[in-house]
Amino acid sequence: MTRLIRLVLVAALAVTAFAARPALAWGDYGHRVIAQIAEANVSPRVRTRIRALLAQEKQLATPECPLRTIEDASVWADCIRRDDLRWGYSAPWHYVNIDICKPFDIKANCPNGSCVPAQVARNEALLADRKLPTHARLEALAWLVHTMGDMHQPMHAGDRGDLGGNRVSASYGIVEGRMNLHRLWDGPIAERAITQGLPLVRAYSPEERAAVTAGAVEDWAREAWELSRNVAYPTAQHGPACGPALGKDERARHSDADIEALIPVVRTQVLRAGLRLAAALERALG
C-alpha cells in the first residue's frame, strides 16, 4: 500500500468517526476547557467544596459516566443522554432554540422550565441550598457546569426551524464529510478557536472577571442568540440572517476566511462561559 493511499484511508476514517459523533454543545473538548477556566477562577474554599461533592459520585449511580472532576462534570450531562429511560426527560435542558427572525422570548420557548437558561438558574439555586441531600446538590453541580457551557453556544440559542442548525448540511473549508451547521460549531471551529492564540485557561484578574460576569442569565442567553442571528446564520448563508434559508440539498460552505472570522467569536463565548460559571459557583458555594 502506498503512503498516499494510507493517508487517504486515515483521513476518510477520521471524517467518518467525526460524523458519527452526536451533536453536543462545544463538544467534549470545549466543555472541558470551560470547566478548567472556571476551576482556575474560583476561590480555594469553593474548589475544596466542589471536590467534596464530586467525591460522592457513587450516589448518582452513573458508573459509565464518571463524575470525579469538574471536567467530568462538564460532559456528564451529555454522557447520561445515552440512558433514555432515566434521563430522557432532560433532553430539552441543553438548548432553547429561539427563532432568530422573531423577537427574543425565552418564556415562549421554554415550556415548564425545560430549556437551557432556566436550567442554569435552577441548578445554581439547587446547588446553593445546603438543606438538600448531597446527591441532589451533586447532580445540580454537574448540570450547572454543563448547561452554562451549552447556553453560550450560539447554535443552542438561535434557530431557523432547523433544530439549531442540525438540519443544515455544512462544510469546514474543503472538508465535506457528513457535518451539519450545529456540529461544525461544536467541534472543528470550537477546537480550532480554543487552540489558536494565547491559552484561555488561566487565573483572570478581578477587573477581567467583572467585565464578563455583569448581567444575568437572560442577558447571556440573549447574547448567544444575537450571535446566532448576527454571525452564525449570515456566515452560513452568505447573506442576511433572515434572507432565504438554505435548501435541503444546499450546504453551508465555510471558507478559511469565514472560519478565521468566527474564531474570536468562539473564543469570547468559551471565556464568558468559564468565568460566568466560576461566578455562579462562588455564589452557590462560597
Side-chain angles (χ1 to χ4, degrees):
M1 183 182 293
T2 68
R3 183 172 181 271
L4 177 58
I5 293 174
R6 286 198 299 270
L7 289 173
V8 170
L9 287 174
V10 169
L13 287 171
V15 170
T16 301
F18 177 74
R21 290 164 57 186
L24 311 174
W26 297 133
D28 185 275
Y29 182 57
H31 272 297
R32 289 181 182 275
V33 170
I34 288 168
Q36 290 170 9
I37 293 170
E39 188 173 38
N41 287 278
V42 295
S43 64
R45 174 184 294 182
V46 168
R47 199 173 297 123
T48 297
R49 289 174 175 171
I50 290 170
R51 290 171 182 171
L53 281 172
L54 292 170
Q56 305 302 314
E57 68 160 339
K58 289 184 179 179
Q59 292 195 28
L60 293 188
T62 57
E64 295 183 355
C65 301
L67 199 51
R68 293 184 290 269
T69 68
I70 193 170
E71 287 187 49
D72 288 342
S74 74
V75 296
W76 178 84
D78 278 337
C79 181
I80 61 170
R81 292 173 75 173
R82 305 168 191 161
D83 187 348
D84 191 60
L85 185 62
R86 284 186 69 186
W87 305 100
Y89 66 89
S90 67
W93 294 6
H94 297 258
Y95 58 88
V96 63
N97 284 1
I98 299 173
D99 192 326
I100 62 169
C101 300
K102 295 180 180 179
F104 178 81
D105 187 347
I106 290 179
K107 291 182 180 179
N109 294 273
C110 189
N112 301 314
S114 287
C115 71
V116 66
Q119 291 305 314
V120 169
R122 170 180 174 268
N123 284 291
E124 181 182 334
L126 291 175
L127 180 60
D129 189 347
R130 306 293 176 88
K131 297 177 183 178
L132 290 177
T134 299
H135 72 85
R137 297 182 71 218
L138 173 57
E139 183 177 332
L141 170 65
W143 275 108
L144 176 60
V145 174
H146 181 80
T147 54
M148 186 68 83
D150 276 354
M151 188 175 66
H152 285 77
Q153 211 274 50
M155 302 311 298
H156 273 238
D159 180 63
R160 287 205 70 183
D162 53 19
L163 302 181
N166 271 297
R167 290 177 174 168
V168 179
S169 297
S171 62
Y172 178 71
I174 63 171
V175 180
E176 296 285 341
R178 290 167 54 197
M179 287 178 281
N180 60 51
L181 183 58
H182 189 111
R183 182 172 287 148
L184 192 71
W185 276 77
D186 286 349
I189 291 178
E191 290 164 10
R192 180 167 168 180
I194 292 168
T195 55
Q196 185 167 311
L198 296 174
L200 288 172
V201 180
R202 65 175 174 85
Y204 289 80
S205 70
E207 294 75 20
E208 288 173 311
R209 296 198 300 270
V212 169
T213 56
V217 169
E218 183 168 341
D219 301 318
W220 305 337
R222 180 190 295 271
E223 193 176 61
W225 174 80
E226 289 175 345
L227 286 173
S228 69
R229 182 190 63 185
N230 299 336
V231 178
Y233 278 98
T235 301
Q237 296 166 177
H238 292 278
C242 296
L246 292 170
K248 182 180 179 181
D249 298 322
E250 293 182 286
R251 186 177 292 272
R253 300 192 177 278
H254 293 73
S255 67
D256 287 341
D258 292 332
I259 294 164
E260 285 295 323
L262 295 176
I263 284 174
V265 174
V266 173
R267 284 179 64 85
T268 297
Q269 284 302 96
V270 169
L271 177 59
R272 284 170 172 168
L275 293 182
R276 289 166 181 171
L277 174 59
L281 292 170
E282 284 288 342
R283 288 191 297 268
L285 298 173

